[in-house]
Amino acid sequence: MVFAAILAGGSGVRMGNPNKPKQFFYLGEKPILVHTLEKFCASGRFDGVLVLTPATWVQQTRDIIAKHCPQYADAVAVIAGGAERNDTIMNAIRYFEDECGADKDAIIVTHDAVRPFVSLRIIEENIEAAAEHGACDTVVPATDTIVESADGKVISAIPDRSKLYQGQTPQSFNMAALREMLESLTAEESAILTDACKAFVLRGRPVALVRGDVGNIKITYPQDLRVAEAMLEA
């Protein structure tokens, strides 16, 4: 069984509107979330698709889906996310286990709602890699030199760029293994961990790499939305 969790818990602060989560900003004629959701629904690979939003936006999200992609409205569930990203992922795991009968071999594909240009190729390769390796991350090679500073004032190291990658999403996992990793985190680890793949790395578990795409951008700032509009028009 294969499931998709679309993580739509972000705020609109960096987009200049703290009262409207960024995933609900319009890209062309539809909200960003809808563009993203359509990719997963159109893939035909999922036994369940779940959107996790701020609690106060659950009903609006259902209404938005019904309005802009009514053909998928019955196939997509919407529930509240958690306080942090990993809490939201745990909510998704519980939902798929309790409501969809996810078993020990089930795969969960987690994706940022504000990455609307994810390709079907990336989704398919995530499913394959998660099934084979238990965990995978979508990445692209770093093109800029990465500078490390321990104190934020002077350079402390310049890592070898040939070994560095920039993380994207999806991140995909064997669902039972992901639950095990997240539940193993200490309170201190949970407080600083914002990436599910790092839970595997901390426990010495391998995480495979899936080739991403520079076009798989994350819309965070107003300038990102302008770039996305140009990409959509092109």
Side-chain angles (χ1 to χ4, degrees):
M1 303 179 79
V2 182
F3 300 97
I6 309 302
L7 310 180
S11 70
V13 173
R14 286 178 288 185
M15 290 291 286
N17 186 348
N19 297 317
K20 184 177 183 180
K22 56 192 174 184
Q23 55 271 18
F24 300 114
F25 279 70
Y26 269 68
L27 173 59
E29 298 181 352
K30 297 178 286 191
I32 296 169
L33 169 64
V34 173
H35 288 278
T36 304
L37 191 58
E38 286 176 335
K39 296 290 183 64
F40 284 82
C41 291
S43 76
R45 287 301 311 273
F46 296 98
D47 297 290
V49 177
L50 177 66
V51 178
L52 299 106
T53 74
T56 55
W57 279 81
V58 168
Q59 188 55 52
Q60 289 102 315
T61 302
R62 290 173 179 151
D63 293 342
I64 287 169
I65 294 171
K67 176 181 178 181
H68 292 281
C69 48
Q71 69 275 32
Y72 299 132
D74 292 337
V76 177
V78 182
I79 66 171
E84 304 294 341
R85 185 183 185 89
N86 289 333
D87 298 322
T88 297
I89 292 174
M90 281 300 300
N91 283 3
I93 292 172
R94 294 187 191 101
Y95 177 87
F96 290 134
E97 289 176 342
D98 296 342
E99 302 297 329
C100 304
D103 58 24
K104 62 182 180 61
D105 296 319
I107 299 298
I108 182 170
V109 179
T110 68
H111 186 66
D112 295 325
V114 288
R115 289 188 187 272
F117 296 108
V118 62
S119 68
L120 296 179
R121 189 270 303 169
I122 289 175
I123 293 172
E124 185 67 30
E125 290 184 7
N126 261 259
I127 295 170
E128 293 173 359
E132 181 177 353
H133 301 285
C136 68
D137 196 2
T138 304
V139 302
V140 292
T143 55
D144 293 326
T145 296
I146 306 299
V147 174
E148 179 182 319
S149 175
D151 61 4
K153 297 178 181 179
V154 298
I155 292 175
S156 55
I158 300 179
D160 180 358
R161 187 176 67 189
S162 67
K163 299 178 181 178
L164 300 179
Y165 296 82
Q166 296 167 237
Q168 300 183 336
T169 62
Q171 294 182 332
S172 304
F173 312 90
N174 171 278
M175 193 181 301
L178 179 57
R179 173 190 270 280
E180 177 188 349
M181 292 301 103
L182 294 180
E183 289 180 341
S184 76
L185 297 174
T186 65
E188 292 75 15
E189 289 170 336
S190 295
I192 63 172
L193 203 65
T194 58
D195 185 286
C197 284
K198 193 168 182 179
F200 280 75
V201 174
L202 286 174
R203 298 296 179 262
R205 298 280 289 271
V207 178
L209 301 182
V210 170
R211 177 173 56 90
D213 191 297
V214 293
N216 183 25
I217 66 170
K218 184 178 183 180
I219 301 175
T220 303
Y221 298 99
Q223 58 266 34
D224 300 327
L225 190 56
R226 291 192 287 271
V227 171
E229 290 281 5
M231 292 174 63
L232 189 65
E233 291 175 6

